[in-house]
Amino acid sequence: MGISREDANAPAGFGECGGCVSAGRSGGGPALGAVVGDLHRDNGVRLHLGVGVHGWSEDKRGVTVLLDDGEQDHADAAVVGVGTVPRTDWFWHTGVDLTDGVLRGLTTHVAGPDGDPVDGIVAAGDIARWPNPRFDDVPRRVEHWINAIEMGRHAAEALLQGPQAAAPFAPVPRFWPHQHGVRIQSVGMPGLGTEMTILDGEPTMRRTVVGYTRPGPEGIPVLVGAVALDSPRALLSYRDRVGHPLASVPARYRAA
């Protein structure tokens, strides 16, 4: 459900076919991954999952991509998505932990060399790595524009309040692409889940809410994320429950 799938979705809107090559398998677990994969195939998208690109060549007709498994795919144009690297070089002289971004504390204040929050310096956006108390104490970066906007607002308030008075930043990360007429919404961090649970609807009907849980205290499943297909209202009832135990868990599937 990343940028490669969104790019592959675009040509279908003009009556053309697209293709997607991904070194990873279809995300979302076996049940949801299969449904989203079929959604793309039903709209003429060629999926090459679990393979890499060995090379490519260009001519007047477009681009021919050679895959690791020996197959070739031809396209009029190709979009390469290789991820991002945080620009922290201007911060190297400070002694701040710059491992995969700028390390900061719960309030968005940058963590100093001793690990304590530094008054007067905050970090926000894709570059910021912090422990979201909604999940655990592991610092992570979240690369979504909604998160960057909300974090920027919180950082501005925290800058004025100071690290002692500022509140922790504990958002529910979320995003939503539209692919082939289906609205796909994600809340929380589904990748942290160890179990997949059908919370509402039926995946094969492409109208469902799928929850991702992991064991919490005393083994009670804790909801860490959810993905919905054309089910915005049903998803709302679970968004604010991310990070909290589920009172009851329907039949579950192992998350891939």
Side-chain angles (χ1 to χ4, degrees):
M1 287 177 285
I3 189 171
S4 59
R5 315 288 167 82
E6 295 188 46
D7 287 336
N9 160 77
F14 299 94
E16 302 293 339
C17 295
C20 171
V21 179
S22 175
R25 295 290 180 179
S26 184
L32 189 62
V35 171
V36 175
D38 288 342
L39 171 65
H40 285 290
R41 294 185 185 94
D42 290 348
N43 286 273
V45 176
R46 304 180 302 278
L47 295 179
H48 302 278
L49 305 179
V51 297
V53 175
H54 182 72
W56 67 83
S57 61
E58 301 179 55
D59 55 32
K60 294 181 179 180
R61 298 179 300 164
V63 180
T64 299
V65 179
L66 176 62
L67 307 181
D68 286 341
D69 59 4
E71 287 194 40
Q72 294 185 0
D73 201 348
H74 180 78
D76 294 334
V79 177
V80 180
V82 294
T84 60
V85 176
R87 283 292 308 272
T88 58
D89 51 312
W90 58 277
F91 224 42
W92 283 347
H93 66 285
T94 63
V96 171
D97 186 343
L98 301 179
T99 305
D100 189 30
V102 177
L103 179 65
R104 25 153 279 204
L106 297 174
T107 64
T108 71
H109 286 86
V110 170
D114 58 359
D116 294 332
V118 179
D119 192 6
I121 305 178
V122 295
D126 293 358
I127 197 174
R129 181 170 59 95
W130 93 106
N132 188 334
R134 187 177 291 272
F135 302 104
D136 48 39
D137 58 0
V138 178
R140 301 181 180 90
R141 292 191 305 113
V142 176
E143 296 182 333
H144 295 308
W145 63 269
I146 293 178
N147 181 75
I149 292 174
E150 294 179 343
M151 191 187 300
R153 292 170 179 165
H154 191 98
E157 295 178 356
L159 190 63
L160 297 175
Q161 295 170 342
Q164 303 304 320
F169 182 60
V172 178
R174 59 199 185 277
F175 69 94
W176 59 87
H178 285 79
Q179 298 183 3
H180 309 295
V182 175
R183 185 178 188 182
I184 303 176
Q185 296 171 278
S186 174
V187 297
M189 303 191 75
L192 298 180
T194 58
E195 300 283 344
M196 190 185 80
T197 301
I198 308 302
L199 299 174
D200 187 85
E202 172 54 50
T204 58
M205 300 299 293
R206 296 175 182 170
R207 188 177 295 275
T208 187
V209 177
V210 177
Y212 298 84
T213 65
R214 64 181 178 183
E218 301 179 359
I220 300 177
V222 173
L223 185 67
V224 293
V227 175
L229 303 183
D230 271 348
S231 302
R233 290 188 179 180
L235 182 65
L236 279 176
S237 63
Y238 291 101
R239 184 187 65 186
D240 292 336
R241 296 168 65 181
V242 170
H244 299 282
L246 281 179
S248 61
V249 181
R252 61 178 69 172
Y253 303 84
R254 177 71 62 177

